[in-house]
Amino acid sequence: MDEETKERLMTPGPQVEAPQLTPNIRLAALTRREENKVIELRRKQAYRRCKDAMQLFSECSSKHTIGVVWRCSEVKGIMNECLRRANTVDDMDRARAIFIDKKMKTLDEKKDKPRTLIG
């Protein structure tokens, strides 16, 4: 595999668009469960951005089941580098902004609904 192809595979796809949020003290601190959801969202975004490199590793590992450690080490390194580049602090902030935006929309929807005793 030539260097240009390696670099192309190591470079993540375009970043996910995130909403611009105004700082809100109420939502600045997320619970541990919410923070785990943000981490999972960021992980899914990174997988989407590195799908070509992951597909290449998947194909290699399906061909070489026993010797995957030796035969697919170069492809694994490319995949890991792409995932490393796709998991930056900015990406975490972007995922957090998306999560908080969804949370604020959900809270606004609940706020507008009348509360009743019988659901």
Side-chain angles (χ1 to χ4, degrees):
M1 187 178 305
D2 63 343
E3 291 300 318
E4 186 177 312
T5 305
K6 284 183 189 178
E7 187 59 37
R8 184 184 57 78
L9 288 170
M10 282 191 254
T11 304
Q15 294 179 338
V16 178
E17 291 296 321
Q20 294 295 330
L21 297 176
T22 56
N24 188 341
I25 294 175
R26 226 173 22 108
L27 293 174
L30 299 174
T31 65
R32 186 66 197 149
R33 179 176 283 163
E34 291 171 337
E35 197 66 35
N36 286 338
K37 287 180 183 179
V38 169
I39 291 169
E40 188 61 33
L41 175 63
R42 186 208 49 193
R43 206 174 278 145
K44 287 178 184 177
Q45 290 171 352
Y47 290 162
R48 260 186 257 124
R49 291 176 65 196
C50 294
K51 68 180 179 185
D52 293 339
M54 293 182 69
Q55 181 67 32
L56 193 62
F57 179 73
S58 176
E59 290 170 3
C60 181
S61 63
S62 66
K63 290 178 189 174
H64 310 287
T65 53
I66 295 174
V68 71
V69 174
W70 300 280
R71 299 213 175 167
C72 301
S73 63
E74 181 183 13
V75 179
K76 180 183 171 213
I78 291 170
M79 180 189 68
N80 285 339
E81 179 62 21
C82 181
L83 290 171
R84 186 189 65 75
R85 291 180 185 183
N87 281 315
T88 63
V89 175
D90 290 337
D91 292 305
M92 184 65 171
D93 292 341
R94 201 170 286 109
R96 189 175 286 117
I98 292 169
F99 182 83
I100 289 173
D101 186 54
K102 285 181 185 178
K103 184 176 176 179
M104 288 176 69
K105 287 178 182 175
T106 303
L107 290 174
D108 287 342
E109 289 172 8
K110 287 181 180 180
K111 182 175 66 175
D112 293 340
K113 289 183 181 179
R115 295 178 72 185
T116 61
L117 293 174
I118 300 173

